Structure formats: C-alpha cells, structure tokens
Amino acid sequence: MATLVKAEYNVEKVCLHYYDYSDYYADRRWLPDDIYDFFSEEGYDAPVYDSTGRRGLRAMLQVVIDLDGSDRDYISINNVHLPSGRPRYAMKVAKSFFRKCRHRNSYVIMIGDMNIPAFMWEGQTIPYRQYSTREATHQKGYRLDYLFTDLATPSTIESSRYFCQSDHLAVKYIFD
C-alpha cells in the first residue's frame, strides 16, 4: 500500500489501522525518522496473527492531507488490503475501516483490494458511494477492487495490466 502526495500539500497524519487488536509496537527501522512523527497511536495495534490464529492480517493505510493549509479542508485517503479467502470476515474488517477512515472536516477515499466479491456488497449499508470497473479485477474472474468516496463521481475509471506484476488489474480513478 502506498499513497503519493505532491510536495505542495501538507500531510496531517499517516496511520496504519488494524482490525480488533491492541498492544502492538510497530517496527520503526524501515521508516525515515521524520516521517514516523506523523503516525498516531492507533497505528500500533496489530499482531502478526488474526483472531482465528492465521497469518496474514491486513491493514488500512490512512493518509490525511490538509488541502488548503487552513485546517478546514482535508482529504482522508485510505488504502486497504483486506483478508483474502474469507469474504465474510473481510466484510467485518471493511465495516470497521469505514468507521476509522473519516478525519475532522475531511472528504474520504477508501480504495484497494477488498477481497469481497461484488455480489456480497448488495444489501450492505455503506456510508460512501462505491465504484469499480465493470470487468473482473482479479485473475480468477472476480471484481475485488473498489473505491468508496463522498467526492463527486470519478470522470474516468480505467483498468489495465500495464506496470502490474500482480494477480489484480491496476485500476485508475480520475476525478475532475
């Protein structure tokens, strides 16, 4: 997961959110000293195993950007990679992340590999509009990658394998 931010914007907060854990101490060695200052305490709360004792717990990387420098307009960009192979559990984690993705006075983007097939979203209460390609985004023929937002509708949604060494298609959303 990554979020690239143009230098002209102020990063207010960077945090890793995990589902249903506490008392985890994040390893700082891989981070530059100055960027670690942006991480908040809720980012240090995940062990290596999930609640079923299986490895591979996934997280949400939240980056909050101050859009105008006045503490009035923020955008909370939330990259997610939900647990695979257990879509019902992934849905529980997604709902937890929906609650954690808002920041004061912020617009919200939650985007990434949800590992939840499209049909499972039907009938769910979701606080943001959902977008995806019309085609499968995973090599097994499922749509698993989505964008949820309270911003205006993306003007373009494109997918391709260009620059992609994954079992998922790269999906690009363009907002005017």
Side-chain angles (χ1 to χ4, degrees):
M1 294 181 285
T3 301
L4 302 175
V5 180
K6 289 183 177 182
E8 68 221 45
Y9 294 110
N10 297 317
V11 175
E12 172 80 13
K13 173 183 174 184
V14 176
C15 181
L16 287 170
H17 291 281
Y18 293 88
Y19 174 74
D20 201 25
Y21 286 99
S22 60
D23 300 321
Y24 175 77
Y25 187 78
D27 183 357
R28 300 176 190 209
R29 290 174 294 180
W30 62 276
L31 289 167
D33 291 337
D34 58 343
I35 198 169
Y36 198 78
D37 294 338
F38 289 114
F39 280 76
S40 62
E41 286 302 315
E42 64 262 36
Y44 315 142
D45 61 356
V48 177
Y49 299 92
D50 69 14
S51 60
T52 66
R54 293 170 60 184
R55 290 182 64 84
L57 182 67
R58 307 291 172 81
M60 177 175 76
L61 173 65
Q62 180 180 53
V63 177
V64 178
I65 301 165
D66 184 350
L67 295 172
D68 65 4
S70 67
D71 287 340
R72 284 182 293 171
D73 271 337
Y74 295 93
I75 187 162
S76 173
I77 301 172
N78 303 274
N79 287 286
V80 298
H81 190 188
L82 296 181
S84 60
R86 296 172 290 159
R88 286 191 194 351
Y89 179 68
M91 183 65 76
K92 284 177 64 175
V93 177
K95 289 180 177 183
S96 167
F97 287 167
F98 281 129
R99 289 189 298 274
K100 295 176 181 181
C101 67
R102 176 151 303 281
H103 181 75
R104 66 179 184 266
N105 302 320
S106 70
Y107 299 102
V108 170
I109 291 175
M110 186 168 146
I111 188 169
D113 178 0
M114 305 293 174
N115 279 312
I116 300 169
F119 72 88
M120 288 189 69
W121 291 104
E122 295 171 13
Q124 297 292 325
T125 303
I126 300 168
Y128 305 105
R129 290 181 302 281
Q130 177 186 11
Y131 299 97
S132 182
T133 65
R134 291 196 170 120
E135 62 195 60
T137 59
H138 188 266
Q139 69 182 6
K140 291 186 178 177
Y142 299 111
R143 263 189 307 156
L144 300 176
D145 302 272
Y146 306 98
L147 175 132
F148 296 91
T149 188
D150 54 2
L151 293 170
T153 303
S155 58
T156 306
I157 302 173
E158 301 172 350
S159 61
S160 76
R161 287 233 174 258
Y162 192 67
F163 290 127
C164 189
Q165 300 296 317
S166 171
D167 56 342
H168 291 259
L169 291 174
V171 182
K172 178 169 66 172
Y173 298 90
I174 300 172
F175 293 89
D176 291 331

